[in-house]
């Protein structure tokens, strides 16, 4: 994962806390058929002879071919959980131990004013990381998705959006990076001040993303299916949510993955439904999904997720403030800098945050899985759909999104922000509202 993604990850970690979503399937980052009109091989697979699983377990049949694809895709994703992590560490170490980071800092001094020097350094650093990561990024982000029939974009269109994301990171990323170096320079307790300062910044990002950033990539509009809209608005009414906050998004523009999520804060708070889900789910299945998102909305999971993220950031930065100085003293000759408040130390901070966020995964994901279970229970209580309907919605996520419904317990424990689909299926099947 390119380092600009790590800066983005810290931002997003704050935002993801806000955008709790139903996409357990996304755990293995996959997608499915686009709208029925574009039924491809994948759709044909899923509609043919039932797969190996016992009839009792399966509510949405999957062909043997599709099952083979799911197994291959899940295996690849599990490998990539580790490969992606080590690629980040390798690229950051390369930038650090070759002295490239120090050289970029020196080049950036042409900007003269300190703030501009930092901004230029950040831009050079993010671009250098993007280029070093590019082959891995194209492989995982484009080629694999295309191989499994999920990619709906041409390479040029995908690259265009990717570079837009890069530009946004350089423009927005200067705020936390400037804050970080400001407090590192001013106080020994920089980790505490930065954690505190990241709360208003996180709120700013969560409020901003749905109305400023996301519309740069996709179109958000009121539900086109007026009958479905009426059903969801009356459900929202029943739940005490103002209906005007339910949108559909043309997510099939990029990928045929199925998803729905809740995001935003204050007036930008909203529930978003992917067009791919509208095209492939029945009205009752969508009601269940909406009930789930409304659960996140009403149980303030956005704020709770944010609190978890801030506690993680404070803990991670406190540990970094203890562990980084001896590392700098040890390798200052190679690094080309000898103080933490030297901008060239940024890749070293990214390495520590990457390792700590990897180690903290079971805690942050455990909190997230707890909130997901609460949202599933809320969805069963409010939507009034049967356990079988809810189970079908989950099974469809597995079939369409090639998501492993039964991951290895260690993988689920460490990496899954949602409970495994099989567990969610047995919960809704046995739940009595
Ligand atoms: Zn959710």
């Amino acid at each position: 994962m390119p380092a600009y993604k790590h800066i983005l990850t810290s931002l997003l970690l704050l935002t993801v806390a806000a955008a709790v979503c139903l996409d357990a399937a996304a755990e293995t980052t996959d997608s499915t058929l686009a709208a029925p009109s574009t039924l491809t091989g994948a759709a044909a697979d899923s509609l043919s002879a039932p797969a190996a699983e016992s009839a009792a377990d399966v509510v949405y049949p999957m062909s043997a071919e599709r099952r083979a694809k799911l197994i291959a895709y899940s295996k690849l994703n599990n490998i990539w959980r580790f490969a992606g992590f080590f690629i980040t560490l390798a690229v950051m170490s390369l930038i650090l131990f070759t002295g490239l980071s120090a050289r970029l800092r020196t080049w950036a001094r042409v900007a003269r004013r300190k703030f501009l020097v930092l901004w230029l350094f950040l831009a050079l650093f993010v671009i250098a990381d993007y280029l070093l990561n590019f082959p891995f990024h194209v492989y995982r982000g484009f080629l694999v998705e295309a191989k499994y029939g999920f990619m709906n974009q041409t390479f040029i269109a995908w690259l265009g959006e990717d570079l837009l994301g890069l530009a946004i990171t350089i423009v927005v990323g200067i705020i936390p990076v400037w804050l970080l170096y400001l407090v590192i320079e001013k106080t020994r307790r920089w980790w505490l001040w930065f954690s505190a300062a990241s709360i208003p910044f996180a709120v700013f990002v969560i409020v901003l993303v749905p109305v400023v950033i996301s519309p740069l990539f996709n179109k958000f509009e009121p539900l086109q299916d007026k009958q479905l809209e009426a059903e969801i608005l009356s459900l929202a009414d029943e739940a005490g949510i103002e209906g005007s906050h339910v949108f559909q998004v043309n997510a099939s523009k990029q990928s045929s993955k199925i998803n729905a999520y809740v995001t935003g804060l204050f007036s930008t708070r909203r529930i978003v439904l992917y067009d791919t889900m509208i095209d492939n789910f029945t009205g009752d299945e969508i009601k269940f999904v909406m009930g789930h998102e409304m659960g996140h909305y009403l149980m303030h999971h956005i704020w709770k997720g944010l609190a978890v993220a801030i506690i993680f950031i404070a803990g991670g930065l406190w540990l970094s403030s203890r562990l980084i100085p001896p590392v700098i003293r040890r390798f200052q000759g190679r690094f080309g800098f000898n103080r933490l408040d030297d901008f060239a130390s940024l890749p070293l901070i990214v390495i520590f945050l990457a390792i700590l966020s990897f180690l903290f995964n079971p805690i942050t994901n455990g909190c997230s899985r707890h909130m997901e279970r609460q949202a599933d229970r809320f969805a069963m209580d409010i939507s009034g759909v049967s356990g079988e309907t809810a189970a079908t919605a989950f099974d469809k996520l597995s079939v369409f999104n090639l998501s492993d419904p039964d991951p290895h317990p260690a993988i689920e424990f460490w990496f899954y922000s949602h409970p495994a689909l099989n567990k969610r299926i047995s919960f809704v099947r046995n739940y009595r509202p």
Side-chain angles (χ1 to χ4, degrees), residues 1-10 13 81-93 125 129 133 312-313 315-317 319-320 323-324 345-362 364 414-415:
M1 183 197 287
Y4 86 91
K5 287 256 168 154
H6 253 294
I7 295 168
L8 200 56
T9 309
S10 312
L13 185 78
R81 293 176 200 287
F82 298 94
F85 172 61
F86 289 112
I87 289 168
T88 299
L89 296 188
V91 167
M92 282 297 104
S93 305
F125 167 71
D129 163 67
N133 259 290
F312 153 74
I313 288 189
L317 290 177
L319 276 170
S320 304
L323 300 172
I324 291 181
S345 70
L346 188 57
L348 185 56
I349 295 174
V350 170
I351 285 176
F352 272 84
L353 274 185
I355 293 171
L356 291 167
S357 84
F358 188 88
L359 295 174
F360 276 131
N361 265 346
T364 48
W414 205 276
F415 297 106

Side-chain angles (χ1 to χ4, degrees), residues 288 292 372-382 427 431:
F288 172 72
H292 175 101
E372 292 303 330
R373 272 190 287 274
Q374 288 182 316
D376 284 347
R377 181 187 301 274
F378 183 88
M380 288 304 289
D381 286 338
I382 191 130
F427 168 76
Y431 182 70

Side-chain angles (χ1 to χ4, degrees), residues 19-24 260-262 292-293 296 301 368 371-372 375-376 418 424:
V20 179
C21 64
L22 185 64
D23 60 348
Y261 63 90
V262 65
H292 175 101
E293 301 308 333
H296 285 311
H301 284 170
S368 173
M371 291 192 270
E372 292 303 330
D376 284 347
H418 295 68
R424 301 175 84 181

Side-chain angles (χ1 to χ4, degrees), residues 20-71:
V20 179
C21 64
L22 185 64
D23 60 348
E27 262 326 309
T28 47
T29 58
D30 53 26
S31 69
T32 177
L33 318 160
S37 58
T38 60
L39 276 177
T40 61
D45 307 348
S46 68
L47 296 174
S48 57
E53 276 181 302
S54 73
D57 293 334
V58 174
V59 275
Y60 196 82
M62 176 167 17
S63 71
E65 190 192 353
R66 188 102 188 130
R67 171 158 302 286
K69 260 189 179 174
L70 182 148
I71 292 165

Side-chain angles (χ1 to χ4, degrees), residues 54-61 388-396 425 429:
S54 73
D57 293 334
V58 174
V59 275
Y60 196 82
E388 280 314 304
T389 300
T392 311
F394 285 137
D395 217 20
K396 270 187 178 180
I425 287 173
R429 274 195 162 147

Side-chain angles (χ1 to χ4, degrees), residues 118 177-187:
L118 177 56
V177 172
W178 175 71
L179 267 172
L180 181 66
Y181 281 96
L182 185 72
V183 289
I184 288 177
E185 196 185 309
K186 300 270 185 251
T187 163

